[in-house]
Amino acid sequence: MIKPTAAQIRQALIDHGVDAQFYKDWDKKGRSWDNGMQACVVHHTSTQSAVNGNGAPSLYWAVNAFAPMMVANQLVGKDRGTNWYLSSGATYHSGDGGPWSAVGVGTGNVLHWRAWGIEIDDPGQSNTINKYQIEQVARTLAALWDLNEWPEDGSRIITHGDWTDSGPFLGEKNYGPYRYRKNDTLRQFYDQKFWRNEAKKYRLKGATWDGTVPSRAAATKSATQKLKTKSAWRLACRLYDLGFRKQKPLPLGEQVYPKKALKDFQESIGIKEDRRDGLPNKTTWIKLFGKDKP
């Protein structure tokens, strides 16, 4: 059973290419995962102002409603730069539900010490969760799936309504006593199967990158001189693992510099078009590898 630390969670998120914003003292919030981080519950807010271009209007609520505990571990806003990680430790989120035998809990308000909680900022009335939010949730789920070594069938990824209803949603024979407690209005659009399939796209099982961060200087030389170097290969592998390069990298010594794939990555992290040149820079390296290496 994995009991992840804040540092391990942060690194897993970086490794999976998440656009992560870490709220102040996020690494000191919540309880330690003494029983393991065994699952994730995905839900949404019902905030009418949570529309494209308005970031994460529920952030104040998520931070203060149950202070000093956070409302969830994560709040995913509508726009780039608003995917907030609020608590690295277990915190309030799931409420009454169950049972869920697979993670060792019965009925009641008993899951949140074993399950990561995600709130997606949205009006909660239709299929309005946008592309950015879907990708950030999916990358987070993939990171936690890989980190905590959850079952390969994806069964540890559920929605809030699945928890409150129990029964077949959680592999149980009968529905639980809290069925329909949570009006999970968007489950018809974004059910557990949807989130499991999205998460699979970003898992790093069988990753091609060897974990070594190439220097920007060496990578720039590979790009400008069209050299088939280790730097070019490592960059191609990293971009392939994160889904920005469709073709698997060629063997070491045969791979050219992946300029187009790096341009696509730069676009995804919000680099302005006039600086989106497919060449190394500090911002790109930190977002891509988790640290800079000049």
Side-chain angles (χ1 to χ4, degrees):
M1 182 182 297
I2 309 297
K3 302 176 182 179
T5 64
Q8 290 173 323
I9 295 169
R10 184 180 186 278
Q11 189 59 53
L13 295 171
I14 291 171
D15 289 346
H16 287 74
V18 177
D19 177 31
Q21 310 299 316
F22 297 100
Y23 199 80
K24 182 181 178 182
D25 294 331
W26 86 287
D27 55 338
K28 300 178 179 65
K29 299 292 185 181
R31 295 188 184 183
S32 60
W33 298 96
D34 293 335
N35 294 302
M37 187 195 294
Q38 299 191 43
C40 182
V41 178
V42 183
H43 196 227
H44 55 83
T45 65
S46 55
T47 303
Q48 298 308 300
S49 59
V51 296
N52 294 346
N54 202 26
S58 299
L59 183 60
Y60 182 86
W61 163 78
V63 170
N64 293 285
F66 299 144
M69 301 294 281
M70 299 296 187
V71 165
N73 297 94
Q74 178 183 357
L75 177 71
V76 187
K78 289 290 184 183
D79 309 298
R80 187 179 290 113
T82 63
N83 177 31
W84 289 99
Y85 293 89
L86 309 176
S87 176
S88 64
T91 191
Y92 303 142
H93 181 241
S94 49
D96 289 329
W100 194 1
S101 302
V103 299
V105 295
T107 59
N109 192 8
V110 292
L111 182 62
H112 48 258
W113 304 137
R114 304 187 186 205
W116 183 270
I118 299 177
E119 286 284 343
I120 305 169
D121 222 357
D122 189 80
Q125 296 174 341
S126 185
N127 56 337
T128 51
I129 294 176
N130 67 24
K131 182 179 178 181
Y132 171 80
Q133 292 175 305
I134 290 172
E135 180 176 339
Q136 298 312 310
V137 172
R139 287 187 182 277
T140 300
L141 292 172
L144 299 180
W145 193 345
D146 287 344
L147 174 62
N148 293 289
E149 300 176 0
W150 291 338
E152 288 299 312
D153 62 2
S155 58
R156 298 302 175 86
I157 297 170
I158 65 170
T159 72
H160 212 159
D162 297 337
W163 163 242
T164 61
D165 291 357
S166 188
F169 296 110
L170 302 182
E172 300 291 331
K173 183 177 180 180
N174 300 310
Y175 289 105
Y178 298 100
R179 189 181 185 191
Y180 302 130
R181 182 189 72 81
K182 200 68 181 179
N183 184 21
D184 204 347
T185 53
L186 300 191
R187 190 162 52 174
Q188 60 181 310
F189 306 112
Y190 313 101
D191 61 6
Q192 57 178 230
K193 182 178 180 181
F194 173 86
W195 291 117
R196 292 168 186 177
N197 286 337
E198 288 296 317
K200 287 177 183 177
K201 298 177 183 178
Y202 302 106
R203 295 195 64 198
L204 297 184
K205 188 176 182 180
T208 60
W209 179 47
D210 65 0
T212 299
V213 178
S215 70
R216 285 192 281 118
T220 300
K221 184 177 180 180
S222 299
T224 56
Q225 298 184 23
K226 299 182 180 179
L227 302 176
K228 299 177 181 179
T229 63
K230 283 185 178 180
S231 296
W233 177 77
R234 284 173 172 143
L235 182 57
C237 288
R238 180 64 172 145
L239 291 166
Y240 173 77
D241 290 343
L242 294 178
F244 290 94
R245 178 183 165 87
K246 302 304 179 185
Q247 184 179 359
K248 191 172 183 178
L250 295 174
L252 183 62
E254 299 179 27
Q255 177 62 53
V256 298
Y257 183 89
K259 191 171 184 177
K260 182 182 182 303
L262 191 61
K263 279 186 177 181
D264 292 341
F265 177 78
Q266 289 174 330
E267 180 180 5
S268 78
I269 62 173
I271 289 182
K272 293 181 179 179
E273 189 171 0
D274 60 348
R275 295 187 61 237
R276 205 182 299 155
D277 54 11
L279 296 175
N281 61 56
K282 184 176 180 180
T283 299
T284 299
W285 245 234
I286 290 173
K287 287 288 188 179
L288 185 58
F289 295 108
K291 62 179 179 181
D292 188 30
K293 188 175 181 181

